[in-house]
Amino acid sequence: MVTQPVKEDRRQELVRAAYNQIAERGFEGLRTREVAAEVGLNIATLHYYFPTKEALIRGVVEHAMGRFRTTLAPHGSPADQLRNHLRAVRKLLREEPQLGTVLGELNLRSARDPAIAGIMRQTYDGWHQTLRGLLRRAVKEGHLRPDIDSDEVAALVVAALTAMTLPTLSSSPRTDQALRQLERWLGIAAPRQKRSNYPSK
Amino acid sequence: MVTQPVKEDRRQELVRAAYNQIAERGFEGLRTREVAAEVGLNIATLHYYFPTKEALIRGVVEHAMGRFRTTLAPHGSPADQLRNHLRAVRKLLREEPQLGTVLGELNLRSARDPAIAGIMRQTYDGWHQTLRGLLRRAVKEGHLRPDIDSDEVAALVVAALTAMTLPTLSSSPRTDQALRQLERWLGIAAPRQKRSNYPSK
Amino acid sequence: MVTQPVKEDRRQELVRAAYNQIAERGFEGLRTREVAAEVGLNIATLHYYFPTKEALIRGVVEHAMGRFRTTLAPHGSPADQLRNHLRAVRKLLREEPQLGTVLGELNLRSARDPAIAGIMRQTYDGWHQTLRGLLRRAVKEGHLRPDIDSDEVAALVVAALTAMTLPTLSSSPRTDQALRQLERWLGIAAPRQKRSNYPSK
Amino acid sequence: MVTQPVKEDRRQELVRAAYNQIAERGFEGLRTREVAAEVGLNIATLHYYFPTKEALIRGVVEHAMGRFRTTLAPHGSPADQLRNHLRAVRKLLREEPQLGTVLGELNLRSARDPAIAGIMRQTYDGWHQTLRGLLRRAVKEGHLRPDIDSDEVAALVVAALTAMTLPTLSSSPRTDQALRQLERWLGIAAPRQKRSNYPSK
DNA sequence: AATGAATGAGAGTTCATTCAT
DNA sequence: AATGAATGAACTCTCATTCAT
């Protein structure tokens, strides 16, 4: 009853250390020895908790997707939820920049690793569907322009948020601009200065 | 007249082989021996052309950015150019899926490699500015809604197209959906189904 | 009580194996794989004890200088000590011919490797000073001719003994002759043949 | 009639370049490519003149021994010749420090390379015999103390001069001291200041 | 007489993994 | 639950040598 949690802690420590390593050096630079050292353990001990490097990576995948899912907890009206979601994602990525990198790495790795691909597709699918649902309800409740194809817009939102993940884009101020434009089009932008709401064509 | 091209050919062959390897296995799985073998050369010969692995990678970066730049060649009205550009990018990524992967890999690597970061930022900056210019002119010529902030929209386009790069997104039909939505918002969507509702120039 | 020595043993084994390799094939022919094999270890294990080849070499330098220092342990009158020292060196080099070669190799390498140069200069300086001290005291006690410049003679002794190190000289009987002549000039020669013409103390 | 000398020139250039390389980096660091480059030639061309690296090294051995032999050209009385010889060697080694290093390297290499060993032994034998001859005649003519064993003294001179070769010793002022002491013992020291000639025992 | 291109054989080093303790 | 020691396999890079031109 005490050992189990302790063991879980060690595992979590290792996963988190690996997560940080991937963020810092990519999969290319992920070294089990480094991970173990960061936790203050011998490599042999790492292998006690995770039989192979791959097992450790799977742990990281789940950890990363978990971090990400937190932004989807919904409260308020659909339009509010949408706005809040976009904000939550931006905030999360700003406050924990490693997450973006790791997500990018996982994204690329999923092309070669079906296990990762599965987990990620699942998460992205869930995300897409949640967004689509929000959009539909927002339209139905009159908070959003009716000419919107909720499926396509959901896809666009996912794409835009995902792109924020990549270093070249995320390090420039443009990503924020892109999201602002998106919000404006959707009509959920928080009123800034005197910039008018969109006048539909 | 023959010698120069021959040498250039070998170098190009090696770069292309490396490019393919990166697309297939990522930087993580890039092996100089494999690259050389794919061209039918000994590793020592690879090192004859590229003193180090890094030098080879720099060759790949330039090659990849070069492929990418081809989509920016402009003809016609700004609106046409925009439409054509989006299409060209989609087509390129569809026909040469490796490019997306390599771009993604480079993107991530640029976080750790200033040399790559420099080249990529330059390319992306150029891209962004070209788009912004097109948008501005399209607005001025009345082909686009005037309420558009060309800077923000350019950023959104770049983000959306870039996201297409990532396996998880690019392998789903959603990316196309996202771009379609974008075109529709911009008012440059090509006729869908019954050549319906967009005002062609 | 057992673990520490065991580790030290492995390191020592590796150093000694490297020492032998250098004696046999010179730095030119020193191969870490060979060294490891001679101890019955995998190369990776060698790198477990010595991170780099250079680290191993530093180990060899210290080992060699250590062997050499043993000849400087002094007992008896200064004249006796001098005589014994010359003899000890000759004996050591005769019984462990590798030492001469390794010393020669280190000597040459010290021209390119400041770390080695430092260690060797230190040892040689100590040697020179010890000899000078012995000579001075021997003169003062009347065992040696008073017209001797102890500094210069010490230098000559060091030079002569060092030259014994080099294969071309050490393999001929001349080196012994040279030292005998030196002893005779100093007046510390041991009785040759019919216990003849030197004035014992 | 023109080609031969030209060819000889190229060969000499290569030998001299190799000689310098050995002096700078030792056999350990001798690279044929570097040698060729220093002469402004392609490696393939080096192999046109010297089929193998070993052949080039043999060229260096002969070159080095040649440089060395120049000090043995004798004029004047035996005592003068001796004095001049010692001086010539010191001067040569001071003015062309590479020679010492190369000699040292060759000395060590001769332990593993019979071909080199042969050439060197020959040269050293000649040297020893020349010195012995000079010493004998000097004694006979009354210029040297009669209690000298010319064989042993010759050996000592050779040893002392050879030791000058080694970096650790040659870089200190002691080597000169050693030779001065030797000259004083022999009684061929040039009168310096008011230092008396040796008072024989 | 000279070279560009190519290579086989290795060099030192790295790393995930194993195992006795 | 933890570790020191050990390893196989692989990696990038080097170098003397060859050969067609």
Side-chain angles (χ1 to χ4, degrees):
Chain A
M1 278 217 169
V2 176
T3 31
Q4 190 58 13
V6 166
K7 176 160 180 178
E8 263 317 305
D9 280 0
R10 278 276 194 251
R11 285 181 60 93
Q12 262 312 105
E13 278 184 275
L14 287 167
V15 163
R16 239 186 292 261
Y19 171 85
N20 288 331
Q21 284 286 323
I22 292 173
E24 259 180 62
R25 318 206 212 280
F27 275 108
E28 201 189 345
L30 178 61
R31 301 287 175 261
T32 52
R33 254 187 172 85
E34 281 287 308
V35 171
E38 204 166 291
V39 181
L41 288 179
N42 187 287
I43 326 161
T45 311
L46 181 149
H47 279 276
Y48 172 80
Y49 290 105
F50 296 93
T52 70
K53 192 183 186 182
E54 286 309 310
L56 176 63
I57 290 177
R58 277 197 296 278
V60 172
V61 176
E62 263 147 51
H63 174 71
M65 297 327 260
R67 302 285 308 125
F68 191 58
R69 261 182 237 115
T70 62
T71 61
L72 291 170
H75 305 289
S77 79
D80 282 348
Q81 284 184 34
L82 257 179
R83 184 167 33 241
N84 290 336
H85 175 58
L86 295 191
R87 267 181 210 151
V89 172
R90 268 199 277 174
K91 189 173 167 234
L92 179 61
L93 290 180
R94 212 180 297 118
E95 289 178 353
E96 185 177 330
Q98 319 147 41
L99 182 56
T101 315
V102 173
L103 244 32
E105 294 280 349
L106 291 177
N107 231 316
L108 286 170
R109 215 179 196 234
S110 69
R112 294 161 245 140
D113 184 332
I116 293 185
I119 297 179
M120 296 206 68
R121 165 139 352 240
Q122 216 174 313
T123 305
Y124 272 77
D125 275 0
W127 188 17
H128 179 87
Q129 277 157 30
T130 303
L131 279 174
R132 194 179 51 191
L134 285 178
L135 287 164
R136 276 186 188 151
R137 282 161 51 211
V139 169
K140 206 177 294 175
E141 296 181 12
H143 298 305
L144 239 54
R145 305 166 36 176
D147 67 325
I148 269 177
D149 178 326
S150 57
D151 213 36
E152 295 185 349
V153 171
L156 183 56
V157 170
V158 167
L161 287 176
T162 299
M164 282 187 63
T165 270
L166 301 173
T168 303
L169 294 185
S170 73
S171 66
S172 86
R174 277 173 213 143
T175 329
D176 270 4
Q177 297 173 6
L179 290 187
R180 216 173 296 137
Q181 174 60 38
L182 207 52
E183 292 176 353
R184 205 164 302 134
W185 263 332
L186 287 171
I188 60 171
R192 264 203 335 160
Q193 298 161 342
K194 274 222 171 176
R195 211 150 197 175
S196 68
N197 275 11
Y198 73 98
S200 79
K201 129 183 139 160
Chain B
M1 277 213 171
V2 178
T3 30
Q4 187 60 12
V6 166
K7 175 156 184 181
E8 262 318 303
D9 279 0
R10 276 277 192 254
R11 286 181 62 92
Q12 263 311 105
E13 279 183 274
L14 286 166
V15 163
R16 240 187 290 263
Y19 172 84
N20 289 330
Q21 285 286 324
I22 292 174
E24 260 180 61
R25 316 203 214 285
F27 274 110
E28 201 189 343
L30 178 61
R31 300 288 173 261
T32 51
R33 254 188 173 85
E34 281 288 308
V35 171
E38 204 167 294
V39 181
L41 289 178
N42 188 288
I43 324 163
T45 311
L46 182 150
H47 281 280
Y48 176 77
Y49 289 103
F50 297 93
T52 68
K53 193 185 184 181
E54 285 308 311
L56 176 63
I57 290 177
R58 278 197 295 278
V60 172
V61 176
E62 262 146 52
H63 175 70
M65 297 327 258
R67 301 286 306 123
F68 191 59
R69 263 182 236 115
T70 60
T71 61
L72 290 171
H75 306 289
S77 78
D80 282 349
Q81 282 183 34
L82 258 179
R83 185 169 31 246
N84 289 336
H85 174 58
L86 296 191
R87 262 179 217 153
V89 172
R90 266 198 281 173
K91 189 172 166 235
L92 180 60
L93 290 180
R94 209 181 299 117
E95 288 178 354
E96 186 177 329
Q98 318 145 46
L99 182 55
T101 315
V102 173
L103 243 34
E105 294 279 349
L106 291 177
N107 231 315
L108 286 171
R109 214 181 197 235
S110 69
R112 292 160 246 139
D113 183 334
I116 293 186
I119 298 179
M120 296 206 68
R121 166 141 348 242
Q122 218 173 312
T123 306
Y124 271 78
D125 275 0
W127 189 16
H128 179 89
Q129 277 157 30
T130 305
L131 279 175
R132 196 181 48 191
L134 285 178
L135 288 165
R136 278 186 187 151
R137 282 161 51 212
V139 168
K140 207 179 292 177
E141 297 182 11
H143 298 305
L144 236 54
R145 304 166 38 174
D147 67 321
I148 270 176
D149 177 325
S150 55
D151 213 36
E152 295 186 349
V153 171
L156 183 57
V157 171
V158 166
L161 288 176
T162 299
M164 284 187 64
T165 269
L166 301 173
T168 303
L169 295 184
S170 73
S171 65
S172 85
R174 277 173 213 143
T175 329
D176 271 5
Q177 295 174 9
L179 289 187
R180 217 172 296 138
Q181 174 61 39
L182 210 51
E183 293 176 352
R184 204 162 305 134
W185 263 333
L186 288 172
I188 61 168
R192 261 201 335 161
Q193 298 163 345
K194 305 181 187 170
R195 288 190 161 272
S196 63
N197 59 317
Y198 84 104
S200 79
K201 117 181 149 159
Chain C
M1 275 207 171
V2 179
T3 29
Q4 186 59 13
V6 166
K7 174 154 184 184
E8 261 320 304
D9 280 0
R10 276 278 192 254
R11 286 181 61 93
Q12 263 311 103
E13 278 184 273
L14 286 166
V15 163
R16 242 187 289 263
Y19 172 85
N20 288 331
Q21 285 285 324
I22 292 174
E24 260 179 62
R25 317 203 213 284
F27 274 110
E28 202 190 344
L30 178 62
R31 299 287 173 263
T32 52
R33 262 184 170 87
E34 282 286 308
V35 171
E38 204 167 295
V39 180
L41 289 178
N42 186 287
I43 325 163
T45 310
L46 182 149
H47 281 280
Y48 176 77
Y49 290 102
F50 296 93
T52 67
K53 192 185 186 182
E54 285 308 311
L56 176 62
I57 290 177
R58 278 197 295 278
V60 172
V61 177
E62 262 146 52
H63 175 70
M65 297 328 259
R67 303 284 308 123
F68 191 58
R69 261 180 237 120
T70 61
T71 60
L72 290 170
H75 305 288
S77 79
D80 282 348
Q81 282 182 37
L82 258 178
R83 183 167 35 244
N84 290 335
H85 175 57
L86 296 190
R87 263 180 215 151
V89 172
R90 266 199 280 175
K91 189 172 167 237
L92 180 60
L93 290 180
R94 210 181 298 116
E95 289 178 353
E96 186 177 329
Q98 318 145 44
L99 182 56
T101 315
V102 173
L103 244 33
E105 294 279 349
L106 290 178
N107 231 316
L108 286 171
R109 216 182 196 233
S110 69
R112 293 161 244 138
D113 183 334
I116 294 186
I119 297 179
M120 296 205 68
R121 165 136 352 240
Q122 218 174 312
T123 307
Y124 272 77
D125 275 359
W127 188 16
H128 179 88
Q129 278 157 31
T130 305
L131 280 174
R132 195 181 49 190
L134 285 177
L135 287 165
R136 277 186 187 151
R137 282 162 51 213
V139 168
K140 207 178 291 175
E141 296 181 12
H143 298 306
L144 236 56
R145 306 167 36 176
D147 67 323
I148 270 176
D149 177 325
S150 55
D151 212 35
E152 295 185 349
V153 171
L156 183 56
V157 171
V158 166
L161 288 176
T162 298
M164 282 188 63
T165 269
L166 301 174
T168 303
L169 295 184
S170 72
S171 65
S172 86
R174 276 172 213 143
T175 329
D176 270 5
Q177 295 174 7
L179 289 187
R180 215 173 295 135
Q181 174 60 38
L182 209 51
E183 292 176 353
R184 203 164 304 134
W185 263 333
L186 288 172
I188 62 168
R192 262 203 335 161
Q193 298 163 344
K194 307 183 188 172
R195 290 189 162 272
S196 64
N197 59 317
Y198 82 105
S200 79
K201 94 175 166 169
Chain D
M1 278 216 169
V2 177
T3 31
Q4 190 59 13
V6 166
K7 177 161 180 177
E8 264 318 305
D9 279 1
R10 278 277 193 251
R11 285 181 60 93
Q12 262 312 105
E13 278 184 274
L14 285 167
V15 163
R16 238 187 291 261
Y19 172 84
N20 287 331
Q21 284 286 323
I22 292 173
E24 259 180 62
R25 317 204 211 283
F27 274 109
E28 201 189 347
L30 178 62
R31 301 287 175 262
T32 51
R33 254 188 172 86
E34 281 287 307
V35 171
E38 204 166 291
V39 181
L41 289 179
N42 186 288
I43 326 161
T45 311
L46 181 148
H47 279 278
Y48 173 79
Y49 290 105
F50 296 93
T52 69
K53 193 183 184 181
E54 287 309 310
L56 177 62
I57 290 176
R58 277 197 296 278
V60 172
V61 176
E62 262 146 52
H63 174 71
M65 297 328 261
R67 302 284 307 123
F68 191 58
R69 259 181 239 116
T70 61
T71 60
L72 291 170
H75 305 290
S77 80
D80 282 347
Q81 284 184 34
L82 257 179
R83 186 171 27 248
N84 290 336
H85 175 59
L86 295 191
R87 265 181 213 151
V89 172
R90 268 200 277 174
K91 189 171 167 237
L92 179 61
L93 290 180
R94 211 180 298 117
E95 289 178 352
E96 186 177 329
Q98 319 145 43
L99 182 56
T101 314
V102 173
L103 243 34
E105 293 280 349
L106 292 177
N107 230 316
L108 285 171
R109 213 175 200 239
S110 69
R112 296 160 244 140
D113 184 334
I116 294 186
I119 297 179
M120 296 205 68
R121 164 139 352 240
Q122 216 174 310
T123 306
Y124 272 78
D125 275 359
W127 188 17
H128 179 87
Q129 276 158 32
T130 305
L131 278 175
R132 195 181 49 194
L134 285 177
L135 288 164
R136 278 189 186 147
R137 282 163 51 213
V139 168
K140 207 178 292 172
E141 295 182 11
H143 297 305
L144 237 53
R145 305 165 37 173
D147 66 326
I148 268 178
D149 177 325
S150 56
D151 213 33
E152 296 185 349
V153 171
L156 183 56
V157 171
V158 166
L161 287 177
T162 298
M164 282 188 63
T165 268
L166 301 174
T168 303
L169 293 186
S170 73
S171 65
S172 86
R174 280 173 209 142
T175 328
D176 271 4
Q177 296 175 7
L179 289 186
R180 216 174 296 137
Q181 174 61 37
L182 207 53
E183 292 177 352
R184 205 164 303 135
W185 263 334
L186 288 172
I188 60 171
R192 264 201 337 156
Q193 300 161 343
K194 272 223 167 172
R195 209 148 197 174
S196 67
N197 276 13
Y198 73 97
S200 78
K201 114 180 148 166

